[in-house]
Amino acid sequence: MNSSARKASRKCPYSGPGSFTAVILVTAVTALAMLGTQTESAAARRSRSWFGAPFSDLFGQARRKPRRAAHSTPTPAPALAAVPLPKSRPADAPVTEPEKPSAAKPASVATDRLAEHATPPLPKPRPADAPVTEPEKPAAAKPVPATTDKPAEQASPPPPPSACRLALTDAIAIAPSIPDIKGPGECGGEDLVRLEAVVLPDKRRVSVKPAAILRCAMATEIANWIRIDMAPLATSLGSVISDLNNLDSFECRGRNGVAGAKMSEHGRANALDVHDLKRASGQSISFTDRTVPREVRETVLHSMCARFTTVLGPGSDGYHEEHIHLDLMERHNNYKICQWNVWDPLPQIAPLLPAERPEEAPPRELAAKSDAVKSDAAKPDAAKADAAKSDASEPATGATKSPTKKRRENRRL
């Protein structure tokens, strides 16, 4: 026992009561130095309460103090500031319920930023006055064609041009072909062209305004009528033809535009309504104008009726008083209709008005009465005339009687 006590006294020279006090002081100074030199982050200070922060460092909750250099001089510890105590809670303050523990937050701020960027922003709310759009219906799935061992059939080539199309060249008319029209109903036609102009033998062009949609046969007949018949007529009048005024060509409708009527030849692209031919001099040959010489209009009438199967003009049915209807309708035994009254020109001087009634003439009512009296007076005269006729007829009938009977009748009277 004495040997161990002696050894201990050798190892710790300050083994008396004063030495214990010195150890405590050294420990306190060391702790205060560590408290002053260590720093905390702003987030750690805010997470701790104002009352427990100074004491948390004493129990090792603060961060580890960085290691100093070997020959650095220690910095003096700052003095602790006096912390004010909180005021006592008033008696009438409302009781607040303790907050529920929130869910665990992410460990780092970097993960929060990544989460914010990963979350897409919500769309803005739809305004109240926005129109309601119906959801689109899903398109029906197209049937997958069944695979066959046969090779795919090639597209059928277009039909060859007709004989009429081959004959109607650019030297006769500017009439490009157009696709066939099928429907609605009975409307439409095949081998159609758009007649834009007729080329005269001298290479001049007569424009069709507007361009007419016709069958090739009808367009060919119109071109021949202008080239062969109308061009010489215009030349005889001192000018050449420049335009053909087209009022109607293809139109899907009934006859005369009446709903429910029989299909018109216009609906089959087989008719044309013409009004006049304009000449290069500025004048025109109007087919229904009475001021145009009658001989000119009769020449046009004869040329039309010789070429077309139907010609309807003034005086036909009341629907063609201002234009001429032409078509190539096929009828039994090639029957043709040509109805066009070429009216005479109107008189240049208006007829005279009737003479005024004289002042001494009786009023019309009295005159009517006098006429009635005259008629009554004429009735007895008519009766007398009838009686005279009957008397004149009696001798003729009595001549057959015997003379003896006449004497007896006289005796009786």
Side-chain angles (χ1 to χ4, degrees):
M1 295 294 293
N2 293 335
S3 60
S4 61
R6 288 176 183 176
K7 290 178 182 180
S9 62
R10 291 176 184 175
K11 291 179 181 180
C12 186
Y14 303 99
S15 58
S19 63
F20 181 74
T21 305
V23 171
I24 294 174
L25 291 175
V26 170
T27 303
V29 170
T30 304
L32 292 174
M34 292 175 62
L35 178 64
T37 55
Q38 291 184 358
T39 59
E40 282 186 299
S41 62
R45 289 179 182 178
R46 286 196 293 284
S47 64
R48 297 175 183 176
S49 61
W50 62 275
F51 184 76
F55 300 97
S56 61
D57 293 337
L58 293 177
F59 297 100
Q61 296 180 4
R63 295 182 181 179
R64 181 176 293 183
K65 182 180 178 181
R67 191 173 182 179
R68 296 182 181 181
H71 300 285
S72 61
T73 57
T75 56
L80 294 175
V83 180
L85 296 175
K87 296 180 180 180
S88 59
R89 183 179 180 83
D92 56 351
V95 179
T96 57
E97 296 180 358
E99 296 181 358
K100 297 180 181 180
S102 58
K105 296 182 179 180
S108 60
V109 180
T111 57
D112 294 341
R113 293 181 179 178
L114 290 176
E116 291 177 2
H117 289 291
T119 304
L122 295 176
K124 296 182 180 180
R126 184 180 181 85
D129 55 349
V132 179
T133 57
E134 297 180 357
E136 295 182 358
K137 297 181 180 179
K142 296 182 179 180
V144 180
T147 57
T148 57
D149 298 336
K150 297 181 180 180
E153 296 182 359
Q154 297 180 356
S156 59
S162 62
C164 175
R165 176 69 271 186
L166 295 175
L168 189 62
T169 61
D170 293 342
I172 298 175
I174 307 301
S177 298
I178 61 175
D180 298 343
I181 300 177
K182 297 181 180 180
E186 301 178 4
C187 293
E190 299 177 353
D191 196 15
L192 303 179
V193 298
R194 185 174 64 251
L195 183 61
E196 299 177 357
V198 176
V199 181
L200 299 179
D202 58 356
K203 305 302 180 183
R204 294 177 180 268
R205 291 187 179 184
V206 178
S207 301
V208 180
K209 295 183 178 180
I213 297 177
L214 301 169
R215 295 188 180 187
C216 180
M218 183 64 182
T220 302
E221 203 62 44
I222 292 292
N224 293 335
W225 171 63
I226 293 176
R227 288 165 53 89
I228 300 173
D229 299 341
M230 294 295 100
L233 177 62
T235 303
S236 65
L237 297 176
S239 182
V240 295
I241 305 173
S242 60
D243 300 324
L244 171 63
N245 191 358
N246 165 32
L247 295 183
D248 192 13
S249 57
F250 171 73
E251 184 180 0
C252 185
R253 60 175 175 83
R255 291 182 179 179
N256 301 323
V258 178
K262 191 176 180 180
M263 177 61 61
S264 172
E265 290 300 307
H266 286 280
R268 299 184 176 92
N270 198 31
L272 183 69
D273 289 346
V274 294
H275 182 265
D276 64 282
L277 288 170
K278 291 185 178 180
R279 296 186 294 173
S281 61
Q283 299 177 352
S284 62
I285 303 174
S286 181
F287 305 134
T288 60
D289 188 3
R290 290 188 176 187
T291 60
V292 177
R294 182 184 178 90
E295 295 77 9
V296 175
R297 288 179 287 149
E298 287 181 348
T299 303
V300 176
L301 169 64
H302 295 317
S303 66
M304 287 181 175
C305 292
R307 292 186 176 275
F308 302 97
T309 59
T310 306
V311 179
L312 300 177
S316 59
D317 54 4
Y319 292 95
H320 303 87
E321 300 298 322
E322 301 296 333
H323 67 277
I324 308 300
H325 170 88
L326 307 173
D327 67 47
L328 290 177
M329 182 179 180
E330 296 180 0
R331 299 184 182 89
H332 185 63
N333 293 332
N334 296 326
Y335 179 74
K336 292 185 178 182
I337 296 177
C338 183
Q339 296 179 358
W340 176 7
N341 295 335
V342 180
W343 305 116
D344 292 329
L346 295 174
Q348 297 181 358
I349 300 176
L352 298 176
L353 296 176
E356 296 182 359
R357 187 178 180 84
E359 296 180 357
E360 62 274 7
R364 293 188 180 277
E365 295 181 358
L366 298 177
K369 290 180 180 180
S370 62
D371 294 340
V373 172
K374 290 180 181 179
S375 62
D376 294 339
K379 289 180 180 180
D381 298 339
K384 291 179 181 180
D386 295 338
K389 289 181 181 179
S390 62
D391 295 341
S393 61
E394 286 179 358
T397 56
T400 59
K401 296 180 181 180
S402 59
T404 56
K405 291 183 179 180
K406 283 186 179 180
R407 291 176 182 176
R408 290 178 181 177
E409 289 177 358
N410 293 333
R411 290 176 183 176
R412 290 177 182 176
L413 295 173

